[in-house]
Amino acid sequence: MPATEDPTGAPATAHDGRISRKTVLRAAAALGAAPLLLGGGVALARDRAAAGEAPDLTPDCHDGDAPTVEQTEGPYFKPDSPLRTSLITSSTPGTRLTVTGYVFGRGCLPIPGVLLDFWQADHNGAYDNAGYRFRGHQFSTAQGAFTLTTVVPGLYPGRTRHLHVKLQAPGRRVVTTQLYFPGEPRNSTDSIFDARLLMNVRQAGPAREGTYDFVLDVPQTPTTPPTTPPPTTPPTGTWAAGTAYRAGDGVTHGGSPYRCLQAHTAITGWEPPNVPALWQRI
């Protein structure tokens, strides 16, 4: 029988009296009815700017909440995991899961080069303690992005479904936490579960896609927009997932024009209003 993990982390408190979307998400989870998507969008750190809120000089960058909650590493962590973004092969059993997101600092700016070390149970709820199956580390891109390809972890006694991760920004301390799935029956009985760590998850055919943005307690100075913005290519079409965009490319979304700030390949969930790190409304 797997060893028991001990809970850490305290309940969230609003720092300015506002009711954030993550606060609503926590309340829904407590009632066993956590939604997959909230308000038609993703409840991520980048939502504050996307909602048109004026940025603070030093915002918490987590939709009104503190930096990402820390949790116990549990008994199954192993150092020296292989460098890889995929923990599976074509023959690995289980429901395919892709998790994407960004790592932000306290200035709501992405952090490149962050070490993210993931580990999890297989689809039967077992950890590989002899080898390195379902273990791997990677580094966030120049845009602060990460992508993990794996399977939905199975259940084992005492725990709901979860992913483990350690993060370390260059020159900073290690942050250990876990990620959870909305709508899981065991969320309400798992003593470690914290709804602040819920991913946004959607079904994509037979697979599932999750998103989560980490916020690390790394001081940053928000950049000042240049007086003369870089040249913008006139909008040549409507934003579309799967398209490779370059900095300066122009698109329309929801009838509004946007300029691409950082080269990337668009995916569902990264629509221009949702990712101000990638798109600027013009």
Side-chain angles (χ1 to χ4, degrees), residues 170-244:
R172 297 285 172 171
R173 69 180 184 87
V174 176
V175 172
T176 303
T177 192
Q178 302 181 34
L179 296 179
Y180 297 98
F181 295 76
E184 287 289 329
R186 288 197 188 180
N187 287 351
S188 60
T189 59
D190 187 327
S191 63
I192 301 175
F193 170 78
D194 191 318
R196 292 171 291 182
L197 298 170
L198 279 167
M199 295 182 287
N200 292 290
V201 180
R202 73 182 189 96
Q203 199 70 32
R208 303 179 77 182
E209 295 177 347
T211 55
Y212 192 86
D213 287 350
F214 295 99
V215 180
L216 301 182
D217 192 10
V218 174
Q220 295 173 316
T221 301
T223 55
T224 301
T227 303
T228 303
T232 302
T233 302
T236 56
T238 302
W239 179 92
T243 304

Side-chain angles (χ1 to χ4, degrees), residues 83 113-117 137-140 165-170 174:
L83 175 64
V114 174
L115 169 66
L116 299 99
D117 194 348
H137 73 272
Q138 59 180 279
F139 294 88
S140 61
V165 59
K166 287 180 178 286
L167 304 97
Q168 185 175 28
V174 176

Side-chain angles (χ1 to χ4, degrees), residues 29-50:
L31 296 174
L36 295 184
L37 294 176
L38 209 57
V42 288
L44 300 174
R46 54 186 178 256
D47 280 354
R48 291 188 65 188

Side-chain angles (χ1 to χ4, degrees), residues 259-281:
R259 172 176 58 236
C260 179
L261 299 178
Q262 302 183 55
H264 67 284
T265 299
I267 65 172
T268 300
W270 289 5
E271 292 81 0
N274 291 337
V275 280
L278 300 179
W279 294 98
Q280 180 183 44
R281 186 170 177 174

